[in-house]
Amino acid sequence: MATALRIGVVGGSIAGCAAAVAGSRAGADVTVYERSGAELQDRGFGIVIPPPLHRELVGSGYLDARMETAPGGRCPGAPGRPVPAAAGRGRGRVSRPHTASGAVKALQDALCLERVLREGPTVGAALERYADERTAAGAHLPELGRRMGRAQVDGTPDWAAMGQGEVDAWFRGVLAGTRHYLYARPAPGG
């Protein structure tokens, strides 16, 4: 993009950092504004990235190919996966499922943002193209969250009594009729 572009990113989350990397790689002058005065810390076990997106992120240089990943592309603590027990806290538990899509969407958004900024003749044209390509994905994520929230409130499962098979069946039932990268094949009747 020929025009010098300055981008301010509010928040140093995965989404914020991915957007900052995308803008910087597209040639923009980027500043990330983070309100936390404390040192940033890890807050989880990791993120679940579907294998095709992982390959794209490695191929694009967003991730190092040597970055450690969990076997089979699944991350401990992902929806329905046993969470390792913390030292001295007893045995692991089954985590409560969630859409597990926020980080994936942020990374997909960043790849798109970088591409449209590089290809767009103007910033305005690039942002219009970005909106055309990513708005539907942005609307899909909250709908998945609402669907799962309703299912957890209307009929809260006994997570502690459920094994992996029951958690997977619950998750597939809730997502029946929708598309979700964790379960590429629709549930029966979905």
Side-chain angles (χ1 to χ4, degrees):
M1 181 160 297
T3 307
L5 179 62
R6 293 180 60 206
I7 298 174
V9 177
V10 179
S13 65
I14 290 173
C17 289
V21 168
S24 179
R25 289 172 50 127
D29 176 21
V30 180
T31 302
V32 177
Y33 298 93
E34 173 57 50
R35 74 175 174 188
S36 176
E39 183 177 325
L40 299 180
Q41 301 173 11
D42 290 340
R43 302 216 188 277
F45 290 102
I47 60 173
V48 177
I49 300 174
L53 177 59
H54 186 268
R55 287 189 294 275
E56 185 177 3
L57 291 167
V58 168
S60 299
Y62 277 77
L63 295 178
D64 188 322
R66 297 169 297 178
M67 181 181 206
E68 188 175 327
T69 60
R74 302 308 283 267
C75 174
R81 301 292 173 239
V83 177
R89 291 194 186 156
R91 61 189 201 106
R93 62 179 172 77
V94 175
S95 64
R96 180 175 51 90
H98 53 85
T99 62
S101 301
V104 168
K105 181 186 173 303
L107 294 167
Q108 291 168 330
D109 288 348
L111 289 167
C112 179
L113 180 62
E114 179 184 352
R115 182 176 42 76
V116 299
L117 286 173
R118 286 181 184 271
E119 295 171 359
T122 66
V123 173
L127 295 178
E128 283 182 32
R129 186 167 170 202
Y130 175 85
D132 289 345
E133 292 183 25
R134 297 303 299 160
T135 298
H140 180 66
L141 185 60
E143 177 48 40
L144 281 175
R146 282 191 287 276
R147 181 180 274 219
M148 292 193 69
R150 281 190 301 269
Q152 291 179 51
V153 170
D154 292 345
T156 306
D158 182 1
W159 300 115
M162 295 170 73
Q164 186 61 56
E166 290 99 351
V167 171
D168 283 345
W170 179 88
F171 204 117
R172 287 180 191 275
V174 170
L175 296 178
T178 69
R179 64 189 197 288
H180 192 275
Y181 70 87
L182 289 176
Y183 300 110
R185 286 174 277 140

